[in-house]
Amino acid sequence: MASTPQPILDRPPISADAAVGASAMRKATRRLIPLIALGYGAAYMDRVNISFASLQMNRDLHFSATVYGFGAGLFFLSYAACEIPSNLLLYRFGARRWLSRIMVTWGILAIAMLLVRTPWQFYTARFFLGLAEAGFFPGVIFYLTQWFPQELRARAISRFYISLPLSSVVTGLIAGPLLNLDGHLGLRGWQWLFLVEGIPPILLGIAFLYLLPDCPQQAKWLTEDERAWIIHHVHNDPSLSGQRSHDLSAALLDPRVWQLGLFMLLMLASSYAYTFVAPDVIQRATHLSTSKVGYLIATLSLLGAAAMLINGIYSDRIQRRTPHSNYPRYMHIIPWAFLISAGFFACGLSTNPINVVTAIGAIIIAYNAMQGPLWSLPGSFFQGRSAAAGIATLNMIGMIGGFLGPYFVGFAKDLTGDYQRGLLFMSLPMLLGAAIMFYLRAETRLRSTALRTENPVPSS
């Protein structure tokens, strides 16, 4: 009589494993994403609030468009310079302490912006603000790759990254009332803006120190099975297409890091080219008050938030059908790159209020929609220390675009008298960005074909 097969005790049934995984992901999402989202929302708010402050500040301090654009962009040079060391320090000291340190430091420096009086003080304040914030975003991206497997990563990133458009909503809603405090307690309206918006990151930095676990192993709110599920599925990701190495050089020498970094440079040059001038461009086209311009940008940012969530969910759904390749991710990025280019083209050719608002809205929606799929890519290239360095390198290269975009449109305005020609020229970068994504997509297909050839599926 044949013996009855004994169950494998160290491996739960598939249904039980799925239930453990679902529970682990629910807890991680609920405990981590809202806190991280609040932190990044505060970071982005302090990074771009000068776009509203400039409506008063430039006039009060006699800043030209070139001075303003250079100072706005200078933030990104110091930020970029410290990306890699900051992410390696996060890897060394843990996310909890390092992200907390970043937030408290930049909150203090954001408040110090109210003391600016001269162009060189403006440049210095922006430079040190970038220095303080360096590593926060790539640190968070790396942190999430330690918690969410590849097939759930675009959704997880979108859920925290939605704080970017939502912070624009908050800034748009409160900028007008804060600017209208002009003269209260001896402070100008733009000074109130810097003061009030610098307080949240300090408070959130303290919250990070007490609420954020460094890794799944330290999360007391997970069961042992849930910890094991996360560790197994993150470190045995079938879509991991690069070397399973923790070596720093593995990331820095991989051509995909530099190709993707160039895409991000072009993307962020485009993004911040409009971010820092959008209130001024819309106000000139529509002749609306500062408060109404803020409400309009808040509305457009809400549409961007919806696009980010929807495209992140859809991208993950498609990714689950091809777990061994990132090939589908690129087609959730390329169409939006073309839409950004079209938005700049339309904005640069027309001063009609409807056309300008529609064009800027298209840019906002497209930029936000691509973020989840885009930032889910680098986490599949590497693991450990090399992943931390690779993600930081990508963001370092991209942040240079954050300097080039604002500086270029500011210089173009002083040269031509308006922002039109500068914005028209900005229709070109994302066409090149789309070409880079087509190339990476083709390379991914070749890698997948080569792997199937080397490791054919045995016939039954």
Side-chain angles (χ1 to χ4, degrees), residues 63 72 116-117 134 152 286 369 382 429:
F63 287 172
V116 165
R117 294 294 181 274
L152 299 174
T286 62
F382 308 104

Side-chain angles (χ1 to χ4, degrees), residues 165-343:
L166 291 182
S167 68
S168 297
V169 173
V170 174
T171 301
L173 292 176
I174 69 174
L178 288 174
L179 291 174
N180 290 334
L181 290 175
D182 197 35
H184 282 67
L185 301 179
L187 297 177
R188 302 290 287 163
W190 57 270
Q191 292 175 308
W192 277 108
L193 189 65
F194 291 136
L195 174 61
V196 172
E197 294 187 355
I199 295 173
I202 297 174
L203 300 178
L204 286 167
I206 297 171
F208 269 51
L209 193 60
Y210 289 98
L211 299 177
L212 196 71
D214 283 322
C215 57
Q217 292 90 326
Q218 294 182 7
K220 296 179 180 179
W221 34 266
L222 290 173
T223 66
E224 287 298 328
D225 286 344
E226 289 166 346
R227 289 193 195 95
W229 188 95
I230 291 175
I231 294 167
H232 172 76
H233 283 77
V234 166
H235 293 283
N236 293 279
D237 187 348
S239 72
L240 189 69
S241 54
Q243 303 177 40
R244 292 176 181 263
S245 168
H246 293 250
D247 183 24
L248 181 61
S249 62
L252 300 182
L253 297 178
D254 193 298
R256 292 171 300 176
V257 170
W258 297 93
Q259 291 157 0
L260 204 55
L262 178 58
F263 175 87
M264 291 179 182
L265 184 153
L266 298 167
M267 178 189 72
L268 290 177
S270 301
S271 169
Y272 288 110
Y274 82 81
T275 298
F276 288 115
V277 303
D280 189 282
V281 170
I282 291 176
Q283 191 170 58
R284 288 174 185 269
T286 62
H287 304 291
L288 294 173
S289 67
T290 300
S291 294
K292 289 182 179 178
V293 169
Y295 299 151
L296 183 56
I297 290 177
T299 301
L300 297 176
S301 298
L302 279 176
L303 296 176
M308 181 181 287
L309 279 181
I310 292 170
N311 197 44
I313 292 171
Y314 180 63
S315 180
D316 274 349
R317 184 175 300 170
I318 300 300
Q319 176 66 29
R320 281 197 292 272
R321 300 176 189 172
T322 56
H324 294 272
S325 173
N326 283 313
Y327 182 76
R329 293 288 195 199
Y330 296 97
M331 289 313 297
H332 298 109
I333 299 170
I334 293 170
W336 302 109
F338 283 120
L339 183 57
I340 290 175
S341 180

Side-chain angles (χ1 to χ4, degrees), residues 99-121:
L99 293 177
S100 175
R101 193 283 305 163
I102 289 175
M103 296 184 70
V104 172
T105 306
W106 102 58
I108 294 171
L109 289 170
I111 293 173
M113 283 285 296
L114 64 86
L115 303 175
V116 165
R117 294 294 181 274
T118 68
W120 279 104
Q121 290 175 352

